[in-house]
Amino acid sequence: MNNESQPKSVFSKPVSRRDMLRLAGASGVGLLLGSTGAFGLMAATSGSLQPAYDQPGSTENVTTGTEGGSDRYDFYGNQQAGIVTPSQNVMCFASFDVTASDATSLKRMLQNWTVASASLMTGQLLNGQNENEHLPPADTGEAAGLLPSRLTITFGAGPSLFDNRFGLAGKKPAGFADLPAFNGDNLQPEWCGGDLAVQVCADDMQVAFHAMRNLIRIARGTAVLRWSQEGFQRSTAADPNNSTPRNLMGFKDGTANPNIKDAAMMNEVVWVQPQDNAGWMTGGSYMAVRRIRMRIEVWDRSSLGDQEQTFGRYRVSGAPLGSQHEADRGDMNAKDASGQPVIPMNAHMRVARGDGTMQILRRPYSYSSGMDKVTGQLDAGLFFISYQRSLDKQFIPMQKRLSEIDALNEYTQHIGSATFACFPGVRQGGYIGDTLL
């Protein structure tokens, strides 16, 4: 619940950032680069706008693994990479507002993003090195010589894109909208919404940042940043056993995820199906985003017993209370010696599960944005991302339950929220969003 008497800076960043970016996109830099942004320079220096590599024409699901044991994923395929792809070490997320006045400009930017993404995911610089000393380089260069590091780039459209600016109102999927207000929300506008979303994940932050930075350059004159967030989890180097990542509260996060290797399960839980009558969204997925501030200092003063009761799991093993192994379902009917449920009725894992019939695919990352200058406490928490076939039937009912009775609410606050319709995959010769435009 918002309270006008509270300092807004407790859970927010300066509002002027977005305005400054708008000015940058529409003023000198944007005009210099033109409506195609950095790619206008590429065309001027190279004479063409082509990927800097020979891309094989795979139409298989690109997120099933890397080819030949390498560390790269293909951009082209039936579904976008970065959804059922095993989570990488780091994430850069950006929400954009489209400033273009017509669908042609939007389409051109998406085409340029496609060419760039296909190249970036191979570890190539955009159109190679630009040696013209009188022009800015075509690529920012900080990833020169670096491996792709399992880079994935995932795109989605927000509900606000489907207005009368681009003639898309009639193509808005039924029921697709911003998430409703949930109990306890303290949403800040600077962490909400957006016309387009880009999720960049990789095993190296410099590789991920490089990809996002260049996509932002390409967008200049057509779209500007609305907000952005970086995230992290334990690295594969630190955890060669690839165990379930832990959040900043010290508990494993993602134990209850469905098996991403089960294609039938992914069709049921994640991918939009033809019978959903979603037209252009068939083969895509709906993304829910929540920026969740954790009250780290309060949590750190709680006893281990209280923490485990809050989650309904043992901290070390991740097993449900009363069980032995992380993957155990947990006995929801078990009682302790005093007759109380072993897993409390308001424990996070019990409330999230509900009746067990509905699942989502969680893909969260921890975040730390330094110190809250008003309170002197850490501005840290969970950047929650989930993918699901339906927001109305999956995410919203789950989040409604959690917002009402989850014991974890004492230690968290949701300050950001957004939804995006993530496009189906791209075939050779196509571009991201071509089923929509």
Side-chain angles (χ1 to χ4, degrees):
M1 182 173 60
N2 290 319
N3 187 336
E4 296 298 331
S5 65
Q6 294 179 345
K8 288 198 70 177
S9 59
V10 173
F11 291 113
S12 65
K13 291 187 175 180
V15 178
S16 61
R17 174 177 174 81
R18 178 181 170 192
D19 295 333
M20 291 179 67
L21 285 166
R22 283 184 181 278
L23 290 173
S27 60
V29 175
L31 293 174
L32 172 65
L33 296 178
S35 63
T36 58
F39 267 51
L41 287 177
M42 292 183 198
T45 57
S46 68
S48 64
L49 185 60
Q50 297 295 328
Y53 67 101
D54 184 14
Q55 168 67 35
S58 171
T59 58
E60 296 302 314
N61 189 324
V62 299
T63 60
T64 56
T66 53
E67 294 185 6
S70 68
D71 63 348
R72 58 161 282 193
Y73 291 102
D74 288 330
F75 179 76
Y76 296 101
N78 290 334
Q79 285 91 27
Q80 289 195 74
I83 297 178
V84 300
T85 309
S87 294
Q88 300 96 314
N89 296 343
V90 296
M91 177 271 308
C92 293
F93 190 96
S95 171
F96 291 81
D97 286 332
V98 178
T99 57
S101 59
D102 57 79
T104 300
S105 297
L106 173 60
K107 177 180 177 179
R108 185 183 303 118
M109 184 189 74
L110 294 175
Q111 290 172 328
N112 291 337
W113 269 358
T114 298
V115 174
S117 297
S119 184
L120 289 165
M121 284 175 56
T122 69
Q124 301 296 313
L125 297 182
L126 300 183
N127 257 38
Q129 293 280 11
N130 173 21
E131 302 298 339
N132 188 329
E133 63 181 14
H134 301 293
L135 291 173
D139 188 289
T140 55
E142 68 270 30
L146 301 183
L147 296 173
S149 296
R150 296 199 301 143
L151 176 71
T152 58
I153 306 174
T154 311
F155 299 93
S160 58
L161 190 70
F162 296 87
D163 54 20
N164 293 323
R165 289 175 294 168
F166 311 112
L168 301 176
K171 295 185 177 181
K172 184 178 181 181
F176 179 50
D178 292 326
L179 295 174
F182 296 109
N183 182 54
D185 279 0
N186 185 21
L187 302 182
Q188 306 299 315
E190 55 266 40
W191 295 111
C192 295
D195 292 334
L196 293 170
V198 179
Q199 172 197 276
V200 175
C201 298
D203 283 339
D204 182 87
M205 178 54 82
Q206 187 141 321
V207 169
F209 179 84
H210 168 259
M212 183 64 79
R213 178 183 179 185
N214 281 277
L215 293 175
I216 292 170
R217 293 180 79 208
I218 293 167
R220 286 174 183 163
T222 306
V224 295
L225 273 177
R226 182 182 179 93
W227 55 270
S228 66
Q229 180 67 62
E230 295 175 355
F232 61 92
Q233 60 168 320
R234 54 95 181 103
S235 70
T236 50
D239 182 14
N241 294 323
N242 197 33
S243 58
T244 306
R246 294 181 184 271
N247 57 38
L248 297 185
M249 290 177 165
F251 282 75
K252 296 187 176 185
D253 199 325
T255 298
N257 262 349
N259 183 4
I260 61 174
K261 296 181 180 180
D262 186 335
M265 176 68 72
M266 292 300 96
N267 285 335
E268 179 181 345
V269 175
V270 175
W271 305 122
V272 176
Q273 299 298 305
Q275 58 266 34
D276 297 333
N277 297 317
W280 65 270
M281 265 294 288
T282 299
S285 187
Y286 292 100
M287 173 200 287
V289 177
R290 304 284 282 181
R291 191 177 194 266
I292 306 172
R293 172 83 176 267
M294 291 180 175
R295 304 184 189 279
I296 297 291
E297 290 78 6
V298 177
W299 178 258
D300 289 346
R301 292 193 296 269
S302 302
S303 69
L304 176 60
D306 285 343
Q307 292 181 1
E308 292 182 335
Q309 291 280 305
T310 297
F311 273 96
R313 292 182 179 275
Y314 297 114
R315 193 172 85 153
V316 173
S317 68
L321 297 181
S323 299
Q324 298 295 317
H325 307 288
E326 178 187 352
D328 292 345
R329 291 280 296 170
D331 186 352
M332 297 300 171
N333 297 315
K335 300 290 198 304
D336 61 20
S338 63
Q340 296 299 313
V342 172
I343 300 175
M345 298 302 294
N346 63 349
H348 178 73
M349 66 92 69
R350 180 192 283 269
V351 179
R353 178 184 298 182
D355 62 6
T357 61
M358 197 57 62
Q359 291 182 290
I360 60 175
L361 180 64
R362 299 166 178 83
R363 212 174 193 276
Y365 285 85
S366 296
Y367 77 86
S368 175
S369 297
M371 183 185 73
D372 185 320
K373 293 182 180 179
V374 174
T375 65
Q377 297 180 339
L378 288 172
D379 179 5
L382 188 71
F383 192 75
F384 178 90
I385 300 174
S386 70
Y387 290 95
Q388 45 273 306
R389 181 174 164 182
S390 169
L391 291 166
D392 286 341
K393 296 177 181 178
Q394 292 167 268
F395 180 81
I396 292 176
M398 181 181 294
Q399 184 56 43
K400 187 174 186 297
R401 292 195 308 271
L402 289 168
S403 70
E404 292 173 349
I405 61 173
D406 184 8
L408 199 56
N409 293 337
E410 180 180 352
Y411 305 100
T412 62
Q413 189 168 60
H414 292 237
I415 61 174
S417 181
T419 59
F420 298 97
C422 290
F423 305 109
V426 183
R427 302 296 184 92
Q428 281 287 340
Y431 62 92
I432 194 71
D434 57 8
T435 57
L436 173 63
L437 296 174

